[in-house]
Amino acid sequence: MMRKVLQKLGKADETKDEQFEQCVQNFNKQLTEGTRLQKDLRTYLASVKAMHEASKKLNECLQEVYEPDWPGRDEANKIAENNDLLWMDYHQKLVDQALLTMDTYLGQFPDIKSRIAKRGRKLVDYDSARHHYESLQTAKKKDEAKIAKAEEELIKAQKVFEEMNVDLQEELPSLWNSRVGFYVNTFQSIAGLEENFHKEMSKLNQNLNDVLVSLEKQHGSNTFPIKAQPSDNAPAKGNKSPSPPPDGSPAATPEIRVNHEPEPAAAATPGAALPKSPSQLRKGPPVPPPPKHTPCTEVKQQQTLSLFEDTTVPEISVTTPSQPAEASDVTCGTHPAAGAQEPGETAASEAASSSLPAVVVETFSAAVNGTVEGASGAGRLDLPPGFMFKVQAQHDYTATDTDELQLKAGDVVLVIPFQNPEEQDEGWLMGVKESDWNLHKELEKCRGVFPENFTTRVQ
């Protein structure tokens, strides 16, 4: 197990299998691609669900405004029900034929990943036993008993490693080749379901359109023209839709009806030509709106906020387009309105009013009998669940797999038991570095295995 140290000293060689390493790289790539596909598929399903809810609410609105005496009410309600059922069926089929298949596909990766990591540890044990056996054979004074025992341990370690290695050599290429068929089946299912859904939805939309056309024909005489309301400030020639002639004769310009053409935006809202206030035209970052009345210099000094005596903020409002443009002009000489303050002044006033409470809270702390409360538990160390004892690394150890700890000489490790005792190999411990635990408190992300003989017990 001293393979890493011995390799640095040039006294041991490492068993390399380039073909297996390529299989592991393919495995990691395949896992990454599958995880991303699963995430995007879940996002797609969430969007389908959101569209279903939006379509359902829109149909409910149509049912509410569709009066009982209008023709086609029953047909419109039936179309709304079928629309809802179609969305539900589409979502459920996506879950059954795409998402569940995706989950089954990814379910085989965790076990294989664990076996790859275990194979790496068994390879370390095999290299260590081989080096020990070779060193005994090349020693000047040979001990036949030790050589025989070392040979027995070497054969045992080699047998365990080769059993795991052969299984993985067969499974990894097969798993890698299966990705093509899986991707084809998944996207074919999604494309086919989406195609059928849009076909059925198109039929429902056409039926709804026929109902609405029938309603328009029977109530066509009840459509009303849109009469443009001239703005007080706009010139008379700005009216695009004049009122019908008083004698009932046809107008020179066709009337704009609600059911046929949209109303021009310029004539939809009376008084739309009123100029906006300067505060609504301002670009850039948000700034506080101007107050209702702009005080004079003397009044401003009296209304200055006292941060220690009064924390009440004066009522403020924003000038709206419906207010006269002269509302911002008050009798204060030539003082500008508060809404026209420079952005720098506004930002400075905000910073002054928002930063002081934080300073007060941090400066003053409660004390009992001359000691600050809350300081007693500052040095307490929370230990991970199942903590057994502490060890300290005596040598650097470079992790060879994702479930191993990277150690530097002097690192303190908190030893914890294995979740599955059967996964513990002889000479290996499970733990979490004390620095990582104190910083993150996340056992799942920080724990890992490490060789016991690289460390010494300190507690």
Side-chain angles (χ1 to χ4, degrees):
M1 295 184 184
M2 301 289 293
R3 177 173 57 89
K4 291 296 181 181
V5 176
L6 294 173
Q7 282 178 352
K8 293 179 180 180
L9 298 176
K11 295 182 179 181
D13 57 340
E14 180 182 5
T15 301
K16 289 286 187 181
D17 189 342
E18 295 182 357
Q19 181 179 359
F20 182 81
E21 291 177 357
Q22 182 62 43
C23 290
V24 173
Q25 291 180 6
N26 293 339
F27 172 83
N28 293 329
K29 178 182 178 182
Q30 188 176 2
L31 176 59
T32 302
E33 292 175 348
T35 303
R36 178 185 174 184
L37 177 57
Q38 183 188 46
K39 179 182 178 182
D40 292 342
L41 183 57
R42 290 183 183 277
T43 302
Y44 180 80
L45 284 170
S47 300
V48 170
K49 192 70 175 177
M51 277 297 301
H52 176 201
E53 293 298 326
S55 176
K56 184 177 180 180
K57 290 184 179 297
L58 190 61
N59 286 324
E60 290 175 353
C61 179
L62 176 61
Q63 291 175 328
E64 290 178 2
V65 302
Y66 212 109
E67 298 183 6
D69 58 338
W70 290 357
R73 177 180 173 84
D74 294 339
E75 290 83 351
N77 293 342
K78 187 63 177 179
I79 292 173
E81 293 177 4
N82 293 336
N83 184 287
D84 186 53
L85 293 175
L86 185 59
W87 276 107
M88 293 177 60
D89 180 69
Y90 178 48
H91 184 271
Q92 187 60 44
K93 286 182 178 179
L94 282 174
V95 172
D96 295 338
Q97 301 182 27
L99 183 60
L100 294 182
T101 305
M102 187 77 214
D103 293 342
T104 303
Y105 171 74
L106 290 179
Q108 57 189 333
F109 284 84
D111 177 66
I112 297 178
K113 185 177 181 180
S114 175
R115 289 162 57 196
I116 292 174
K118 191 171 183 178
R119 173 198 175 275
R121 294 193 292 271
K122 294 303 179 183
L123 178 59
V124 173
D125 295 341
Y126 167 68
D127 286 341
S128 178
R130 178 169 55 84
H131 172 71
H132 180 60
Y133 175 72
E134 292 174 354
S135 63
L136 291 177
Q137 281 189 327
T138 57
K140 294 181 180 180
K141 184 178 180 180
K142 297 184 178 180
D143 189 336
E144 297 297 334
K146 290 184 178 181
I147 293 177
K149 185 178 180 181
E151 184 178 5
E152 181 181 353
E153 292 179 353
L154 174 60
I155 295 174
K156 181 181 178 181
Q158 183 178 5
K159 181 180 179 181
V160 173
F161 166 73
E162 288 181 350
E163 287 178 355
M164 300 188 65
N165 187 57
V166 170
D167 293 340
L168 290 173
Q169 289 278 14
E170 295 176 356
E171 292 183 28
L172 289 177
S174 177
L175 179 63
W176 172 251
N177 294 332
S178 68
R179 75 193 191 284
V180 179
F182 171 75
Y183 294 153
V184 170
N185 293 335
T186 300
F187 283 98
Q188 277 184 344
S189 298
I190 295 175
L193 291 173
E194 188 170 352
E195 181 184 8
N196 293 335
F197 168 77
H198 287 299
K199 285 181 179 179
E200 296 298 325
M201 184 61 70
S202 177
K203 295 178 182 179
L204 291 179
N205 291 334
Q206 182 61 45
N207 294 339
L208 180 60
N209 182 69
D210 294 341
V211 171
L212 297 177
V213 168
S214 176
L215 175 64
E216 180 187 20
K217 289 180 179 179
Q218 296 193 27
H219 293 264
S221 60
N222 294 334
T223 56
F224 299 97
I226 299 177
K227 299 180 181 181
Q229 298 296 329
S231 173
D232 296 337
N233 297 333
K237 64 179 180 179
N239 297 333
K240 299 297 182 180
S241 302
S243 303
D247 57 357
S249 59
T253 304
E255 296 176 347
I256 301 177
R257 296 181 179 273
V258 175
N259 294 340
H260 297 281
E261 298 181 13
E263 179 183 2
T269 305
L274 288 175
K276 294 185 177 180
S277 63
S279 61
Q280 292 181 330
L281 297 175
R282 184 181 294 114
K283 303 296 181 181
V287 295
K292 292 182 177 180
H293 300 285
T294 305
C296 300
T297 305
E298 295 78 3
V299 179
K300 288 184 179 179
Q301 295 177 358
Q302 297 176 2
Q303 292 183 351
T304 302
L305 295 178
S306 175
L307 297 177
F308 298 95
E309 298 178 358
D310 185 11
T311 58
T312 303
V313 179
E315 182 182 358
I316 56 178
S317 64
V318 179
T319 304
T320 60
S322 60
Q323 294 175 332
E326 292 79 12
S328 61
D329 298 333
V330 293
T331 56
C332 288
T334 59
H335 294 291
Q341 292 180 355
E342 294 294 330
E345 298 178 2
T346 306
S349 62
E350 289 180 353
S353 61
S354 60
S355 61
L356 188 55
V359 174
V360 174
V361 172
E362 294 178 359
T363 303
F364 300 99
S365 57
V368 179
N369 295 329
T371 60
V372 179
E373 291 183 350
S376 59
R380 186 181 64 181
L381 175 63
D382 293 328
L383 298 176
F387 167 75
M388 300 166 61
F389 53 88
K390 289 184 182 181
V391 296
Q392 187 174 31
Q394 303 300 312
H395 309 279
D396 293 349
Y397 178 73
T398 303
T400 59
D401 201 57
T402 56
D403 65 339
E404 296 182 6
L405 289 181
Q406 184 91 1
L407 299 179
K408 295 290 185 182
D411 286 348
V412 177
V413 183
L414 308 177
V415 181
I416 58 177
F418 280 75
Q419 289 182 315
N420 185 0
E422 296 180 357
E423 295 182 356
Q424 183 172 5
D425 298 319
E426 182 179 359
W428 293 80
L429 296 176
M430 174 71 72
V432 56
K433 290 199 288 187
E434 187 177 41
S435 58
D436 293 343
W437 172 253
N438 293 336
L439 182 61
H440 302 291
K441 292 292 189 299
E442 295 183 4
L443 194 59
E444 292 296 331
K445 295 183 179 180
C446 300
R447 68 180 175 186
V449 298
F450 62 94
E452 182 179 5
N453 61 347
F454 272 59
T455 63
T456 57
R457 183 166 176 171
V458 295
Q459 180 178 340

